[in-house]
Amino acid sequence: MCKTEYAVCGNPHLLEGSLSAFLPSLNLAPRLSIPNPWIRSYSFDGKEEWEVNPLYCNTVREIYPYNNSNRLLNIVDMAIFDFLMGNMDRHHYEMFTKFGDDGFLLHLDNARGFGRHSHDEISILAPLSQCCVIKRTTLLRLQLLAEPEYRLSDVMRESLLQDPLAPVLTEPHLLALDRRLQLILAAVGKCIHTFGEATVVADDTARPRSPAAHRAEMGT
């Protein structure tokens, strides 16, 4: 079946698709659906502010909870994840309510990912390029996956071999991961060159002190 409103149709009747895994019901695992600050415009009438204002992140930084939590860093992580697979459709993200504002983001609805392997949509990286912040742990992992012995495409290829639907991704899609990874590192490098590593790279590697250690320090 093919309708004119579909962006892609089968040729002649087969079309690559995706599988979805569903989370427990909201009664068992309550969660919030939150608009992505970098939501893309879905009409031809105009653009979102981030698409025309390179200083848009300054506005986001003043809005709760992006002004006093790790939420903005998690948004950057999500943008990197989406850029690697070419997903332009991140209009919302979800969070389990149980963990409050500092909970992790749920990367649901990735069906638009791994579409055009030959095109790298740089605008997906807007949270990174406009805010110029990234977790140190994220940067270290990306740098590791750029090394020849731990190349992202090789790691992904080996991982997907265990999938019952292997190979899952075609070779051009795997190679696109390596190319896009280099673009991410280049964006981080540009930020560091402009603002300095201490400003750009957020140190999330330090382990929090235990309550007992804190009490011992207060007693000395």
Side-chain angles (χ1 to χ4, degrees), residues 2 8-16:
C2 186
V8 181
C9 295
N11 182 21
H13 61 283
L14 296 179
L15 180 66
E16 293 185 12

Side-chain angles (χ1 to χ4, degrees), residues 37-73:
W38 278 267
I39 187 173
R40 192 171 297 275
S41 55
Y42 287 88
S43 71
F44 297 106
D45 298 332
K47 292 182 178 293
E48 297 292 334
E49 183 180 351
W50 69 266
E51 296 178 282
V52 296
N53 179 12
L55 301 179
Y56 171 73
C57 187
N58 293 340
T59 301
V60 176
R61 291 179 190 272
E62 297 177 357
I63 302 173
Y64 179 85
Y66 305 103
N67 59 349
N68 64 351
S69 72
N70 64 352
R71 186 74 62 86
L72 185 58
L73 289 167

Side-chain angles (χ1 to χ4, degrees), residues 14 37 44 47 50 61 93 97 101 103 135-136 161 206 218:
L14 296 179
F44 297 106
K47 292 182 178 293
W50 69 266
R61 291 179 190 272
Y93 62 89
T97 58
D101 286 339
K135 296 177 185 176
R136 183 173 299 278
L161 286 177
M218 293 295 291

Side-chain angles (χ1 to χ4, degrees), residues 135-188:
K135 296 177 185 176
R136 183 173 299 278
T137 53
T138 299
L139 179 57
L140 290 174
R141 180 60 58 88
L142 294 175
Q143 290 172 335
L144 178 64
L145 293 171
E147 294 293 328
E149 59 268 37
Y150 299 105
R151 188 176 287 111
L152 178 54
S153 59
D154 295 336
V155 173
M156 182 69 80
R157 187 184 297 105
E158 181 177 352
S159 175
L160 292 177
L161 286 177
Q162 312 302 319
D163 195 290
L165 295 177
V168 182
L169 292 178
T170 64
E171 193 64 19
H173 278 301
L174 292 171
L175 297 179
L177 292 174
D178 296 330
R179 185 181 68 245
R180 291 166 184 166
L181 176 54
Q182 292 300 322
L183 293 173
I184 295 169
L185 293 176
V188 175

Side-chain angles (χ1 to χ4, degrees), residues 117-130:
H117 59 77
S118 60
H119 177 68
D120 304 326
E121 184 54 54
I122 297 296
S123 65
I124 300 175
L125 281 181
L128 170 61
S129 59
Q130 292 181 356

Side-chain angles (χ1 to χ4, degrees), residues 68-85:
N68 64 351
S69 72
N70 64 352
R71 186 74 62 86
L72 185 58
L73 289 167
N74 289 338
I75 291 289
V76 172
D77 274 357
M78 184 173 65
I80 291 172
F81 174 78
D82 285 334
F83 178 71
L84 285 171
M85 63 177 175

